[in-house]
Structure formats: structure tokens, C-alpha cells
Amino acid sequence: MVAMAIEPPAAQPETAGEPMFQTTRELFDALPPLPGFRVELIEGNLLVSPLGSPEHSWRAADLHDALFPLRKERGWSGSPQGQGICIEGPRDSASPDYVLSPPDCNRWGNELLSSGVIMAAEIVSPSSIHTDRVAKLHLYALGKIPVYLLIDPIAQPPVVTVYSNLQDGEYRTATSVAMGKVICLPSPIDFELDTSMIRA
């Protein structure tokens, strides 16, 4: 399965009754629901990709379960797959594999505003290698999300990386462990995540 980048249509003469899109965000907002697909606006490109494999979904559910004690203690909400985040500034839209947020997180329509999100997590698949390892690393830092968790079961060997310590729109700290080990999710989370609870 391959993600496709869709460029906005070239400007056409305005036709009565037809909307004219000035930005890719306007086109994104006008799209109807696309069942079975994830639609994101990343670095100004509209990305349409099929939903992940069952294993991909199970890993997101495993992460949700592993974070249950934390969510219960802090009253935070966890959303495995599909919760949209509006990246403040460029207004890009990402749908992480997992989002950790307070229940009163500010919103842009139905999307959570990135500056209120506590953590975004992605699970790398063969079709999302560049997007998850590179593009979203920059995007989530730009959106001021304090912690980015990257679960990479296709790396050799499989690895889990936590990006944190935001400064000047970049994560300054990256900590990696082999999948199956314990990794610290730093402030504002301060939680020891046992990655053995997430299937490899």
C-alpha cells in the first residue's frame, strides 16, 4: 500500500456555483469523508493513504492499553488512530496513530489544536517511512507538541524513539531503545512505558 501525494488543482476560471480553492487547506476542508483512507495535509501536500494493516491497528491499541494507568491517573484522553490534529501556524492536518491530550484541549473544528496535545505517536509502516521518520518529526515540533513517540517495527532491529525537549521549533533530545524495553516518556508525561506491551 502506497501513500499518494495529491497536488491541488491548477487555478481555473471561476465557474458559477463552483468553489475556488485558494489553498490546499481549503481543498482539504472541502473533501467528503473517504472511508477506508487516511487523509492528511503534510507540508502543504494532501496525502491520501489506505488505513493500515490489522497489525498496525493492534499496535495502536496496545499503546492505548499500556498508557491506561497514566490516563486514569491524570484524567487525560487517548485516541488510537484517526484523531485529527491541526498544526498551528501552517494549519496542516495530521492524523497520528495515537494522540494523548487533555479532554479540554483547544480545537480547530473537530481537530485538536497541536499546542494543546501532550503527545503524538506514529507506528512506521512500509508506506509511511519518510512521512513518520522525517516529515512528521518536523511537523509535530513545529506544532509545539512536547513529545513525539515513534514506534518503528520495520527498522532492523525494531526500535522505539522518543523525541522531546522542544527548542526553536525542533526536538533537541532523541532517546531510543530496542522494542520490548522500557523507555521514559519525559515531561510533561513522566511515565515509564514498557514497550514489551506493544506487539513487535
Side-chain angles (χ1 to χ4, degrees), residues 21-200:
F21 303 115
Q22 301 299 316
T23 66
T24 311
R25 178 68 203 212
E26 290 177 6
L27 173 61
F28 173 86
D29 289 338
L31 286 173
L34 299 173
F37 290 90
R38 178 186 305 209
V39 182
E40 299 177 291
L41 181 57
I42 308 293
E43 297 180 333
N45 294 310
L46 194 60
L47 301 180
V48 180
S49 54
L51 294 179
S53 66
E55 289 78 12
H56 195 92
S57 299
W58 296 336
R59 288 182 184 109
D62 289 344
L63 176 60
H64 187 65
D65 292 344
L67 293 174
F68 175 75
L70 172 72
R71 292 184 292 110
K72 184 175 180 183
E73 175 190 317
R74 308 276 179 87
W76 290 343
S77 298
S79 305
Q81 299 199 23
Q83 176 57 60
I85 294 177
C86 178
I87 305 299
E88 292 176 70
R91 290 184 49 221
D92 281 2
S93 179
S95 294
D97 290 315
Y98 190 82
V99 178
L100 187 65
S101 65
D104 61 350
C105 185
N106 289 331
R107 300 180 185 185
W108 176 275
N110 286 327
E111 296 173 310
L112 301 177
L113 281 175
S114 59
S115 63
V117 169
I118 298 163
M119 181 182 79
E122 297 290 354
I123 301 163
V124 180
S125 62
S127 64
S128 71
I129 291 171
H130 176 78
T131 302
D132 292 345
R133 293 179 184 167
V134 180
K136 287 188 174 179
L137 174 63
H138 298 298
L139 192 67
Y140 294 151
L142 180 65
K144 300 179 181 173
I145 297 174
V147 177
Y148 176 36
L149 176 65
L150 185 66
I151 299 169
D152 197 340
I154 66 172
Q156 294 300 322
V159 66
V160 177
T161 303
V162 174
Y163 297 94
S164 62
N165 189 19
L166 270 174
Q167 294 178 31
D168 301 320
E170 293 183 7
Y171 294 113
R172 300 294 179 159
T173 302
T175 304
S176 298
V177 298
M179 202 154 175
K181 302 291 185 182
V182 173
I183 192 166
C184 177
L185 301 178
S187 179
I189 301 174
D190 298 314
F191 182 77
E192 297 288 319
L193 175 65
D194 181 359
T195 68
S196 69
M197 296 180 67
I198 303 167
R199 65 198 77 204

